[in-house]
Amino acid sequence: MTTATTTLFSQSNVAALMITGKAPRFEITLGGAVQQTFPATRSWKSEQKRAVEAALALLADQPAAKLAALLADLGHPLRAEGEPVTSQAATLTLVTTDAGGLRIIVQGGKNAQARAALRIAVRESLEAVGGWFADSVQDGLAVAQGASFTPVAHAEPPVVTDAA
């Protein structure tokens, strides 16, 4: 029997997969590595729903999702996907770098002072809430979550940058 894989859900580096064939199952992956697996049975429709729910829970537990939710709670929501960058207001975009770091890009706004003011507000908000640390790096801020923050020179730091 041929094995086939169907992607039920995929966002960022989290996916819910349905594997058919001799050993049908559902797999929840993080960065391609299987985090959870359970067999598919005759109740596969409810199991399919469970797989997507598990993937969503895993996604919500990732640092990028936590940071996006925190920024929104602090009054600094991210720019919606597809929303244009304009001179009306400075906006934030969150990306995950190839090195696994988080980068908050500040774009748009009336001028460099507006972007700088947003960068400072984000840094101060993250420091005030605790658990997140910001440190000046070149044009922006390195941002990390945890008990302490030590920039690693050889790795690409997660940075808040000022993109015009």
Side-chain angles (χ1 to χ4, degrees):
M1 183 175 233
T2 305
T3 299
T5 302
T6 302
T7 302
L8 305 172
F9 170 84
S10 180
Q11 188 175 340
S12 295
N13 59 348
V14 176
L17 308 172
M18 181 171 67
I19 316 296
T20 60
K22 190 169 184 154
R25 65 194 178 280
F26 294 93
E27 292 182 349
I28 312 305
T29 63
L30 175 62
V34 176
Q35 301 296 306
Q36 183 179 358
T37 185
F38 51 93
T41 66
R42 292 180 190 214
S43 301
W44 65 271
K45 285 186 180 182
S46 63
E47 292 162 347
Q48 187 175 25
K49 183 179 177 183
R50 177 180 156 209
V52 171
E53 289 170 351
L56 286 168
L58 182 60
L59 179 65
D61 196 38
Q62 298 307 301
K66 288 180 179 178
L67 181 56
L70 177 62
L71 288 169
D73 288 347
L74 295 172
H76 306 295
L78 298 175
R79 181 174 62 89
E81 189 172 328
E83 181 184 340
V85 175
T86 68
S87 61
Q88 299 290 322
T91 61
L92 302 175
T93 303
L94 180 62
V95 296
T96 303
T97 67
D98 292 339
L102 298 175
R103 184 177 299 260
I104 300 173
I105 301 170
V106 181
Q107 297 174 299
K110 294 181 180 187
N111 51 37
Q113 287 89 358
R115 291 186 295 276
L118 180 56
R119 243 189 354 265
I120 291 167
V122 168
R123 183 189 70 221
E124 290 175 351
S125 294
L126 290 174
E127 290 173 348
V129 79
W132 290 88
F133 299 88
D135 193 17
S136 294
V137 176
Q138 297 173 352
D139 293 353
L141 302 170
V143 180
Q145 179 184 22
S148 63
F149 178 65
T150 306
V152 179
H154 66 278
E156 181 182 350
V159 172
V160 177
T161 59
D162 183 12

